[in-house]
Amino acid sequence: MRIGVVTFPGSLDDVDARRAVRLGGHEAVALWHGDHDLRGVDAVVLPGGFSYGDYLRCGAISRFAPVMTEVVEAAGRGMPVLGICNGFQILCESHLLPGALVRNESQKFVCRDQRLRIENNRTAWTSAYAEGQEVTIVLKNGEGGFIADAETLDRLEGEGQVVARYLDGNPNGSLRDIAGITNERGNVVGLMPHPEHAVEELTGAGTDGLGFFTSALAAVEETFA
Amino acid sequence: MPRVVVDVMPKPEILDPQGKAVLGALPRLGFGGVTDVRQGKRFELEVEGEVTEAVLAQVREMAETLLSNPVIENFDVRVEETA
C-alpha cells in the first residue's frame, strides 16, 4: 500500500515519517505542499515540525496549502489521514478534527518519552493496538494543549473519539489528558506524540509507535476491498 | 490611507499561558496593581480606496477564515484614521 507523507516548508519529521511508513510495511510517497496532487496514494500522513514557521498560528497557513484541498477532499471520501503534532494542528485548523491546540500550560517546550493509553483501537491508525493498551511514545511539543468547549469534549468522549490519553502526568495542559482524537468516521486521526520516532530500538523509546503505521494497511484493505 | 484594524484575543474561557507569564513577571519588576493580563494579536490592514461596509464585511471574513481561529479566539474589526 502507498502512504503519502506531505512536506510543508518547515516540516521536520517528514523523512522519519516516510521511514516509519516503510518499516510499517508500506511504500512511502513524498508529497509536496504546493501540489494539487496526492499521486494516487491510499493514505496520507501530515508530519510534525514547524510548517510556515508556525506563523500566525500553528497549522494556520498550511491549512491553505494546495495539497490540503486534496487531503480534505480525500478525507471526506474516507481516506485514512494521520496528523502528528504539527500535522494534528493542521487537521484542527482544517476543521477535519474539532478543537484546537494551544501553547503548553507550562509555557515550556516538553520533550520526553510519554506513557499513553490507546483508548480507541477502531480507527484506521490504531487497529494494531488492543483497547486500553499502554504504550510509550516520544512527545515533543511547545503548543500541544488540546482544548475544545465542554460540549465538544463530552461528545468526543461519548462517541469514543478520544484515541489516546496521557498517563503518568499531563505534559501540556491538554483538557481531559487528551493526546489524540479521531473524526466520527475513524479515518482521520490527530496525535500530539510522535509514533514515527518510536519504531526502532536503536533510536527511540522502543517500537510502540509502529502500530500506527501497520494499522493503516488493515484499514485500507477494508475500505477498498 | 485608510487602515482597518483587527484585534484578535483568546476567548475569556481559554487559558492564556502567555498572558499569565506576563502577569507573573510584572510584580518581579516592581509593577503592582495588575490583576490580569491577556495577550492577543493586532493586525493592521491598509486598504485601497474608501472603507465601505462591503470592505468591512470582507475583512470580517478574512478574520474568521485566517486571522483568527474561532475555536479559541474572538476578533474585533474597526477603522482607524491615519495621517
Side-chain angles (χ1 to χ4, degrees), chain A residues 19-20 23 195-210:
Chain A
R19 184 173 173 79
L23 289 169
E196 81 283 15
H197 294 330
V199 293
E200 283 175 297
E201 291 290 351
L202 178 67
T203 53
T207 57
D208 284 357
L210 201 55

Side-chain angles (χ1 to χ4, degrees), chain A residues 57-150:
Chain A
R57 291 178 308 279
C58 303
I61 312 280
S62 311
R63 171 199 166 186
F64 297 103
V67 76
M68 283 308 297
T69 312
E70 310 306 318
V71 170
V72 169
E73 197 265 332
R77 282 189 281 112
M79 179 184 281
V81 178
L82 173 66
I84 301 166
C85 195
N86 189 218
F88 187 6
Q89 294 162 339
I90 295 169
L91 290 176
C92 287
E93 284 282 345
S94 306
H95 308 302
L96 284 175
L97 293 174
L101 283 314
V102 299
R103 192 171 294 266
N104 294 351
E105 199 174 2
S106 64
Q107 282 272 58
K108 294 188 178 70
F109 192 95
V110 178
C111 186
R112 70 187 199 199
D113 298 342
Q114 177 70 45
R115 293 289 291 166
L116 300 172
R117 187 170 55 236
I118 304 294
E119 301 277 16
N120 177 345
N121 67 345
R122 301 173 307 283
T123 79
W125 299 95
T126 55
S127 62
Y129 298 96
E131 193 176 310
Q133 187 175 341
E134 295 187 7
V135 296
T136 300
I137 287 178
V138 188
L139 175 95
K140 46 164 197 176
N141 68 68
E143 303 198 27
F146 179 76
I147 59 164
D149 58 40

Side-chain angles (χ1 to χ4, degrees), chain A residues 181-192:
Chain A
I181 59 169
T182 185
N183 61 347
E184 284 173 23
R185 197 166 171 174
N187 62 311
V188 179
V189 169
L191 189 73
M192 216 4 96

Side-chain angles (χ1 to χ4, degrees), chain B:
Chain B
M1 188 71 138
R3 170 183 290 170
V4 182
V5 173
V6 182
D7 288 314
V8 176
M9 292 300 292
K11 286 184 176 177
E13 67 271 22
I14 300 285
L15 179 81
D16 171 19
Q18 295 182 102
K20 227 169 65 178
V22 174
L23 179 68
L26 290 175
R28 288 201 296 277
L29 299 171
F31 296 108
V34 178
T35 57
D36 195 21
V37 176
R38 309 282 291 169
Q39 181 178 323
K41 298 188 189 94
R42 171 189 164 109
F43 298 87
E44 297 179 348
L45 281 63
E46 312 295 335
V47 300
E48 286 173 355
E50 238 180 289
V51 181
T52 59
E53 210 26 68
V55 170
L56 285 175
Q58 207 180 23
V59 171
R60 275 187 213 104
E61 202 184 324
M62 292 175 206
E64 272 174 27
T65 316
L66 179 65
L67 304 182
S68 79
N69 177 349
V71 176
I72 48 171
E73 294 166 325
N74 293 324
F75 67 85
D76 181 53
V77 175
R78 63 192 150 81
V79 184
E80 200 174 75
E81 294 305 325
T82 53

Side-chain angles (χ1 to χ4, degrees), chain A residues 9-90:
Chain A
S11 291
L12 285 183
D13 302 320
D14 44 343
V15 176
D16 279 28
R18 292 208 298 269
R19 184 173 173 79
V21 162
R22 286 193 297 273
L23 289 169
H26 311 291
E27 183 189 342
V29 179
L31 300 177
W32 184 240
H33 73 105
D35 293 341
H36 272 288
D37 187 5
L38 296 183
R39 300 177 60 190
V41 296
D42 306 304
V44 171
V45 175
L46 304 180
F50 301 88
S51 60
Y52 293 92
D54 276 351
Y55 287 179
L56 189 59
R57 291 178 308 279
C58 303
I61 312 280
S62 311
R63 171 199 166 186
F64 297 103
V67 76
M68 283 308 297
T69 312
E70 310 306 318
V71 170
V72 169
E73 197 265 332
R77 282 189 281 112
M79 179 184 281
V81 178
L82 173 66
I84 301 166
C85 195
N86 189 218
F88 187 6
Q89 294 162 339
I90 295 169

